[in-house]
Amino acid sequence: YVWLSYIAYSGLRRYVAWRVEGGETFGTIPGGATGDFERIPESGQFFPAMTINVRDYPSTKGNILAQYTSGDSLVYDSYVVNDGYVWLSYVAYSGLRRYVAWRVQNGETFGTIE
C-alpha cells in the first residue's frame, strides 16, 4: 500500500491507505495531482505582500480554500517544491495540511519570511 499521513486535531499522527502500490486507488488527491513531492521540515513565519491563495495541495491545480492578504501572517512547519513554486505548508485549525505559494521556483517571492 501507499499511505497518506496527517496530524489529527488531537495532535496525533494518523495514516490512511491511499492506494495499492502499482494498482487500485481508494480516492483521489485534489486537482488530479500525483502526490509525488517531498515535504521538507523548516519552520518560520510568512508575511504575504499580496493576496495569497490557501490550497489543499501544493499546486496551482489544488483547490482554493481561503486567502491571506498583506498584513496577515502564518506560521509554517515545512515547505514543498512542486509545480514550479516553493509552497509553505502548515496544519490548519481543522487538522488538515494546507499550502501557500511563497515564491516562484528560483524567482519572484510573494512575501517575506522571518
Side-chain angles (χ1 to χ4, degrees), residues 24-100:
E24 175 188 11
T25 62
F26 305 120
T28 61
I29 292 180
T34 65
D36 296 332
F37 61 85
E38 178 185 2
R39 225 171 20 87
I40 300 162
E42 177 182 289
S43 61
Q45 189 168 7
F46 174 61
F47 297 89
M50 61 191 66
T51 300
I52 301 288
N53 293 324
V54 177
R55 298 181 184 268
D56 60 356
Y57 186 80
S59 168
T60 56
K61 295 176 184 172
N63 296 313
I64 298 171
L65 306 172
Q67 293 181 323
Y68 284 98
T69 60
S70 180
D72 291 337
S73 69
L74 68 95
V75 175
Y76 66 94
D77 63 6
S78 56
Y79 70 92
V80 171
V81 178
N82 193 50
D83 194 29
Y85 294 87
V86 177
W87 302 86
L88 302 178
S89 181
Y90 65 96
V91 176
Y93 183 74
S94 65
L96 300 174
R97 185 150 297 275
R98 301 295 183 226
Y99 302 88
V100 296

